[in-house]
Amino acid sequence: KYPQLQIYRIINDPYLLGVHCHVFYEGIEILNEGYRLFKNKNTGTTDAMDSITSFIDIGLHPSMTHKEAIRIAESKLDYKGKCVSFQLGIYDINRGKGIPGKEFKLVWKVIPTDGEYPKVILDAHTGKTYSAQQ
């Protein structure tokens, strides 16, 4: 029913049935957005947290290759001795900054294959870095 959602966690305890989902747009993950749905087993009430984005007005074809993105990421943070992985995604640059409204960008996420950090998120068209976390 919701092809833009991908479940990554299920909670099934005596009180609650819940799912946590990744959200996708046109097959590309929205990296800093999620969707959660919970059903109370005692009352039968259902609560949804977050929302599903249905329209994003950005180009979905990157101007730079993943190899260029990795080079930029390596210039920002130290990945020495680590294999890196990359993912094309969509990123709301306003989220968590107290700025109203969503501003989506097509990005490359670069992380080591053995963990989440160091992580660099950069614009897939301009190379501008939106996040660099050690």
Side-chain angles (χ1 to χ4, degrees):
K1 186 173 180 179
Y2 298 101
Q4 69 274 44
L5 299 178
Q6 179 187 68
I7 296 172
Y8 68 89
R9 181 177 179 211
I10 297 175
I11 300 168
N12 190 4
D13 64 31
Y15 312 101
L16 179 78
L17 178 61
V19 294
H20 293 243
C21 303
H22 294 295
V23 180
F24 290 78
Y25 178 77
E26 299 287 324
I28 301 173
E29 185 178 352
I30 304 174
L31 299 173
N32 57 345
E33 195 167 286
Y35 186 78
R36 296 169 287 175
L37 184 64
F38 301 100
K39 182 175 183 177
N40 184 308
K41 289 182 178 179
N42 295 325
T43 65
T45 58
T46 303
D47 293 306
M49 300 178 80
D50 308 306
S51 62
I52 301 171
T53 300
S54 59
F55 179 74
I56 298 174
D57 190 20
I58 62 171
L60 299 178
H61 300 285
S63 300
M64 65 175 14
T65 68
H66 68 278
K67 291 179 182 180
E68 292 169 306
I70 291 169
R71 261 193 303 269
I72 293 169
E74 288 174 334
S75 75
K76 302 288 180 188
L77 296 177
D78 182 13
Y79 289 93
K80 286 188 177 116
K82 295 183 181 271
C83 293
V84 296
S85 65
F86 56 90
Q87 177 183 0
L88 185 65
I90 297 169
Y91 188 75
D92 177 7
I93 63 171
N94 289 346
R95 189 173 186 118
K97 294 182 179 176
I99 301 171
K102 296 180 179 187
E103 186 176 349
F104 291 109
K105 300 289 185 178
L106 187 68
V107 298
W108 286 108
K109 176 174 89 169
V110 180
I111 60 172
T113 55
D114 64 353
E116 282 293 312
Y117 297 97
K119 173 171 59 176
V120 173
I121 299 199
L122 54 102
D123 194 290
H125 297 293
T126 66
K128 179 179 179 179
T129 300
Y130 295 121
S131 177
Q133 301 170 327
Q134 194 63 37

